[in-house]
């Protein structure tokens, strides 16, 4: 559990404070310091023998390791990375490097034929990515293997080149590696399963799917993911694969997701910690279009609780994850306002057998421009909040486009597509910007007896 791991990390930090305090007292400036308070007996319920076993009872100069216990620093770094404690991850990796190489160094270059990063390099890459330290990425990925080049391409936003190299790795990896895949369930922001660590082939498949999504190849992504599903049915048990599928579906407006029904009908395969935002968002948007009030309210409430729980468990160091989670909550807030605008309760016109009883049906309505002012105001506020950080608000651009399509507001959709194309062009996402302009042109051409806005 995440809280248990955090408790152990906090305990190690407390023990580390003893080491720092003892070293400070043993410095040359404190040569006349009084005897260590750790050896001074005090009255209490604990016996002297139990005190001698505590880390505070022994001077830290005799400790073999900083943390008194024989701690594997790389294991502690992985635990910190799992909790998104990025600065703690960097500290433990530095301690591990000092222990392994007797200095703060990344070690000798790796000339092996394996297309994978060393464990400590991989932890550093993920930590520096989360804390948005761009220069450090180039400093630790000095090797020329394909894995390092993919990291640099993703870091620079060059998704077309990343797609080419992911395709190269998928083609060069034996297909039988995928047959041993076992599905996993994500339980937090930065969980990596043993299956994904051991099977590089499957990680490359998901990297290829992310690259297709970033470059706007939604049709290719849909066909590719369906082909993987038909080839290996066990992939439906992998949470990250399901999340990518649902995100591609709501971005493309594909509400027919029948080939995932066998997975969704197995509640035993889903744990209490199972949380996939894109699946809930897809269900909410589909319910908003069809007027399914029960499903909409249930999925909306469940998704909000999951996001708030994730925020409560998130580390203060993972600001990138916290910001994206807050933005997801704002998406759900937009959904609540959109439901009130689209669906109205109207009396049923069918004859009633009982006098005094009146039934109500949901009737869809196309909101007018003045009714969408609140949504537009909230959208402009979010734009100011994100400070034009494209990686942060690009999912919101796609979400708002799908939301305006469901609401049927063509006038607002035209303005949004033009705004999206401008933002994506400035963010060097030229393929996505071209897709927005093409959709804008198609929408304007199909409007009857109206001219294309300048």
């Amino acid at each position: 559990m995440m809280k248990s791991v955090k408790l152990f990390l906090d305990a190690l930090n407390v023990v580390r404070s003893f080491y720092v305090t003892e070293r400070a007292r043993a410095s040359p400036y404190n040569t006349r310091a009084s005897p260590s308070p750790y050896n001074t007996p005090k009255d209490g319920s604990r016996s002297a023998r139990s005190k001698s076993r505590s880390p505070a009872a022994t001077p830290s100069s005799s400790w073999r390791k900083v943390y008194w216990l024989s701690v594997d620093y790389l294991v502690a770094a992985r635990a910190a990375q799992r909790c998104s404690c990025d600065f703690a991850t960097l500290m433990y990796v530095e301690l591990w490097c000092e222990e392994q190489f007797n200095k703060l160094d990344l070690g000798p270059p790796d000339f092996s034929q394996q297309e994978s990063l060393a464990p400590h390099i991989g932890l550093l890459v993920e930590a520096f990515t989360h804390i948005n330290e761009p220069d450090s990425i180039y400093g630790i990925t000095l090797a020329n293997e394909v894995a390092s080049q993919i990291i640099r391409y993703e870091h620079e936003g060059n998704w077309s080149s990343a797609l080419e190299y992911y395709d190269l790795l998928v083609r060069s990896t034996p297909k039988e590696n995928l047959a041993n895949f076992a599905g996993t369930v994500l339980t937090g922001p930065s969980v990596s399963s043993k299956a994904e660590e051991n099977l590089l082939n499957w990680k490359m498949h998901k990297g290829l799917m992310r690259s297709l999504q970033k470059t706007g190849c939604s049709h290719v992504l849909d066909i590719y993911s369906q082909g993987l599903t038909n080839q290996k049915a066990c992939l439906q048990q992998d949470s990250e694969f399901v999340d990518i599928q649902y995100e591609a579906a709501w971005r493309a407006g594909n509400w027919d997701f029948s080939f995932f029904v066998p997975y969704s009908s197995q509640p035993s395969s889903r744990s209490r910690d199972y949380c996939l935002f894109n699946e809930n968002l897809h269900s909410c948007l589909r319910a908003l279009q069809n007027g399914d009030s029960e499903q909409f309210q249930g999925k909306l409430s469940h998704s909000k609780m999951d996001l708030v729980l994730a925020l409560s468990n998130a580390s203060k160091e993972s600001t990138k994850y916290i910001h994206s989670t807050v933005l997801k909550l704002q998406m759900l807030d937009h959904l609540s306002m959109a439901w009130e605008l689209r669906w109205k309760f109207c009396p049923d016109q069918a004859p009633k057998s009982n006098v005094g009883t009146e039934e109500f049906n949901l009737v869809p309505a196309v909101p007018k421009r003045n009714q969408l002012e609140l949504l537009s105001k909230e959208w402009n506020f979010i734009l100011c909040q994100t400070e034009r950080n494209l990686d942060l608000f690009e999912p919101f651009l796609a979400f708002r486009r799908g939301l305006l399509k469901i609401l049927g507001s063509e006038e607002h959709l035209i303005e949004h597509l033009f705004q999206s194309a401008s933002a994506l062009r400035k963010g060097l996402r030229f393929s996505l910007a071209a897709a927005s302009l093409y959709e804008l042109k198609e929408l304007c051409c199909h409007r009857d007896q109206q001219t294309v806005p300048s």
Side-chain angles (χ1 to χ4, degrees), residues 6 19 68 153 337 446:
K6 286 185 177 180
Y19 181 85
W68 179 63
Y153 287 141
M337 292 187 288
H446 284 84

PDB file of all heavy atoms in Angstrom, residues 6 19 68 153 337 446:
ATOM      1  N   LYS A   6       5.135   5.029   2.203  1.00  0.00           N
ATOM      2  CA  LYS A   6       5.463   6.384   2.664  1.00  0.00           C
ATOM      3  C   LYS A   6       5.875   6.372   4.131  1.00  0.00           C
ATOM      4  O   LYS A   6       6.757   7.132   4.552  1.00  0.00           O
ATOM      5  CB  LYS A   6       4.268   7.309   2.455  1.00  0.00           C
ATOM      6  CG  LYS A   6       4.043   7.699   1.010  1.00  0.00           C
ATOM      7  CD  LYS A   6       2.919   8.703   0.913  1.00  0.00           C
ATOM      8  CE  LYS A   6       2.724   9.155  -0.526  1.00  0.00           C
ATOM      9  NZ  LYS A   6       1.628  10.143  -0.643  1.00  0.00           N
ATOM     10  N   TYR A  19      21.710  10.655  12.143  1.00  0.00           N
ATOM     11  CA  TYR A  19      23.042  10.629  11.547  1.00  0.00           C
ATOM     12  C   TYR A  19      23.550  12.045  11.290  1.00  0.00           C
ATOM     13  O   TYR A  19      24.694  12.377  11.607  1.00  0.00           O
ATOM     14  CB  TYR A  19      22.981   9.830  10.244  1.00  0.00           C
ATOM     15  CG  TYR A  19      24.295   9.701   9.515  1.00  0.00           C
ATOM     16  CD1 TYR A  19      25.189   8.689   9.846  1.00  0.00           C
ATOM     17  CD2 TYR A  19      24.628  10.578   8.495  1.00  0.00           C
ATOM     18  CE1 TYR A  19      26.400   8.568   9.178  1.00  0.00           C
ATOM     19  CE2 TYR A  19      25.831  10.461   7.819  1.00  0.00           C
ATOM     20  CZ  TYR A  19      26.714   9.449   8.173  1.00  0.00           C
ATOM     21  OH  TYR A  19      27.911   9.329   7.510  1.00  0.00           O
ATOM     22  N   TRP A  68      21.556   3.344   9.352  1.00  0.00           N
ATOM     23  CA  TRP A  68      21.713   2.402  10.453  1.00  0.00           C
ATOM     24  C   TRP A  68      21.377   0.975  10.020  1.00  0.00           C
ATOM     25  O   TRP A  68      22.115   0.041  10.281  1.00  0.00           O
ATOM     26  CB  TRP A  68      20.847   2.825  11.652  1.00  0.00           C
ATOM     27  CG  TRP A  68      20.937   1.893  12.820  1.00  0.00           C
ATOM     28  CD1 TRP A  68      22.047   1.606  13.570  1.00  0.00           C
ATOM     29  CD2 TRP A  68      19.870   1.137  13.399  1.00  0.00           C
ATOM     30  NE1 TRP A  68      21.736   0.718  14.569  1.00  0.00           N
ATOM     31  CE2 TRP A  68      20.394   0.417  14.485  1.00  0.00           C
ATOM     32  CE3 TRP A  68      18.522   1.004  13.103  1.00  0.00           C
ATOM     33  CZ2 TRP A  68      19.633  -0.407  15.281  1.00  0.00           C
ATOM     34  CZ3 TRP A  68      17.758   0.183  13.886  1.00  0.00           C
ATOM     35  CH2 TRP A  68      18.318  -0.516  14.969  1.00  0.00           C
ATOM     36  N   TYR A 153      13.662  12.019 -27.706  1.00  0.00           N
ATOM     37  CA  TYR A 153      12.616  12.447 -28.634  1.00  0.00           C
ATOM     38  C   TYR A 153      11.329  12.794 -27.885  1.00  0.00           C
ATOM     39  O   TYR A 153      10.676  13.813 -28.188  1.00  0.00           O
ATOM     40  CB  TYR A 153      12.344  11.351 -29.668  1.00  0.00           C
ATOM     41  CG  TYR A 153      13.425  11.199 -30.711  1.00  0.00           C
ATOM     42  CD1 TYR A 153      13.813   9.937 -31.164  1.00  0.00           C
ATOM     43  CD2 TYR A 153      14.062  12.318 -31.249  1.00  0.00           C
ATOM     44  CE1 TYR A 153      14.810   9.801 -32.117  1.00  0.00           C
ATOM     45  CE2 TYR A 153      15.065  12.183 -32.202  1.00  0.00           C
ATOM     46  CZ  TYR A 153      15.430  10.914 -32.624  1.00  0.00           C
ATOM     47  OH  TYR A 153      16.411  10.790 -33.571  1.00  0.00           O
ATOM     48  N   MET A 337     -21.863  20.814 -15.485  1.00  0.00           N
ATOM     49  CA  MET A 337     -22.554  21.973 -16.059  1.00  0.00           C
ATOM     50  C   MET A 337     -23.167  21.639 -17.412  1.00  0.00           C
ATOM     51  O   MET A 337     -24.260  22.123 -17.748  1.00  0.00           O
ATOM     52  CB  MET A 337     -21.576  23.146 -16.190  1.00  0.00           C
ATOM     53  CG  MET A 337     -21.122  23.724 -14.857  1.00  0.00           C
ATOM     54  SD  MET A 337     -20.127  25.231 -15.032  1.00  0.00           S
ATOM     55  CE  MET A 337     -18.602  24.540 -15.693  1.00  0.00           C
ATOM     56  N   HIS A 446     -20.085  22.517 -44.312  1.00  0.00           N
ATOM     57  CA  HIS A 446     -21.355  21.817 -44.188  1.00  0.00           C
ATOM     58  C   HIS A 446     -22.448  22.693 -43.570  1.00  0.00           C
ATOM     59  O   HIS A 446     -23.602  22.261 -43.483  1.00  0.00           O
ATOM     60  CB  HIS A 446     -21.187  20.549 -43.344  1.00  0.00           C
ATOM     61  CG  HIS A 446     -20.525  19.427 -44.081  1.00  0.00           C
ATOM     62  ND1 HIS A 446     -19.156  19.324 -44.192  1.00  0.00           N
ATOM     63  CD2 HIS A 446     -21.037  18.369 -44.762  1.00  0.00           C
ATOM     64  CE1 HIS A 446     -18.843  18.234 -44.887  1.00  0.00           C
ATOM     65  NE2 HIS A 446     -19.960  17.644 -45.257  1.00  0.00           N
TER      66      HIS A 446
END
